[in-house]
Amino acid sequence: YEALTHGGIANDAHVIINKVDSEDLEGTDDLSKFLGDSQGILIPGGFGNRGIEGKILAVQFAREKKIPFFGICLGMQSATIEFARNVCGMANANSTEFNPQTEYPVISLLEEQKAVKDMGATMRLGAYPCRLIKDSKAFQAYKKETISERHRHRYEFNSKYRKVMEKNGALISGENPENDLVELFEIEDHPWFVGCQFHPEFKSKPDKAHPLFRQFIAAALQNKKK
């Protein structure tokens, strides 16, 4: 919440946050009742499958309605699942965190993690470098090719599905150069749709908003409702 406020400060705007329980989205056939007035939609990090289908519905709403979208960690993973299901034709796509037997595991553990029984040992923690694609929203925000961001997660984008997603309009705009891990997921045909595997809120300050939060709020302001 503070990082969103920082993004508002950077844009000389007051950010009003409307908190939506994703489980409520699972129980409605009209998402506009909850999200229709939103200038931007953010899905933060988290663990577990509680409300995950509601998160995926929120992603779909933002994608189809061209509402600026920002997904952080689980939010980025939700965006990947939604895109795989509804754009790439992989109807049962999921994360193996939620469905270990999914036909299309677009989010999964790395091979070397699967034999580890101590859950804490499978987490990717701390700062990692990320190389950005120049023609991307992420590069426009950071204005440099190499960044370093902090991580706290266990499941990763499954690179097996990278080509089919790119073929259908996804842009992998950032990756870890050491392990070729996908760090940033964008949609090209969208005003502002960015998902990141890391946690940018960890590095945001009142007098120096994180670049992604700054640009997300800027995009939301451009989407101001009449």
Side-chain angles (χ1 to χ4, degrees):
Y1 299 132
E2 293 302 316
L4 284 167
T5 299
H6 304 163
I9 293 170
N11 286 279
D12 194 25
H14 173 60
V15 176
I16 299 172
I17 300 173
N18 177 30
K19 302 174 187 178
V20 177
D21 189 331
S22 60
E23 287 185 299
D24 291 338
L25 302 183
E26 296 174 359
T28 182
D29 56 2
D30 184 10
L31 269 66
S32 63
K33 291 189 298 185
F34 296 92
L35 302 173
D37 292 332
S38 301
Q39 291 175 230
I41 294 173
L42 182 147
I43 299 178
F47 293 94
N49 63 359
R50 181 170 174 258
I52 189 64
E53 292 300 325
K55 293 179 174 71
I56 293 169
L57 287 170
V59 174
Q60 184 177 8
F61 189 86
R63 179 179 59 80
E64 293 180 345
K65 302 294 185 182
K66 304 294 186 182
I67 299 171
F69 172 82
F70 191 12
I72 297 173
C73 200
L74 182 58
M76 177 265 205
Q77 295 174 6
S78 300
T80 302
I81 295 168
E82 191 280 328
F83 192 84
R85 287 181 183 179
N86 299 317
V87 179
C88 300
M90 293 181 273
N92 299 314
N94 215 326
S95 166
T96 55
E97 180 181 7
F98 314 131
N99 180 7
Q101 279 74 50
T102 178
E103 184 180 1
Y104 303 107
V106 294
I107 302 293
S108 65
L109 291 173
L110 300 178
E111 285 300 320
E112 58 266 29
Q113 294 175 307
K114 293 179 180 178
V116 179
K117 294 183 179 180
D118 181 0
M119 290 185 70
T122 64
M123 291 194 75
R124 185 148 65 106
L125 296 168
Y128 288 83
C130 175
R131 184 175 56 237
L132 303 180
I133 299 298
K134 282 192 173 182
D135 187 20
S136 67
K137 294 291 192 298
F139 183 84
Q140 290 172 14
Y142 286 96
K143 294 181 170 55
K144 54 185 178 180
E145 291 186 58
T146 302
I147 61 172
S148 176
E149 292 286 0
R150 292 168 61 186
H151 292 250
R152 188 179 184 275
H153 65 93
R154 181 171 294 113
Y155 290 80
E156 303 279 357
F157 181 100
N158 188 341
S159 292
K160 174 183 175 181
Y161 298 96
R162 176 171 177 168
K163 287 186 177 179
V164 65
M165 291 196 188
E166 290 177 326
K167 184 178 178 181
N168 282 278
L171 174 65
I172 304 305
S173 58
E175 59 185 354
N176 176 268
E178 299 170 349
N179 301 305
D180 295 325
L181 296 174
V182 171
E183 307 281 42
L184 281 149
F185 178 94
E186 300 185 18
I187 294 178
E188 294 182 298
D189 183 25
H190 194 283
W192 206 91
F193 190 108
V194 177
C196 59
Q197 186 68 83
F198 47 82
H199 286 268
E201 70 274 19
F202 290 164
K203 296 177 69 173
S204 190
K205 299 178 181 179
D207 60 345
K208 191 177 181 181
H210 189 282
L212 293 178
F213 277 93
R214 183 191 68 233
Q215 293 308 109
F216 171 60
I217 297 301
L221 288 168
Q222 290 292 316
N223 186 43
K224 189 171 183 179
K225 303 300 179 181
K226 304 296 184 183

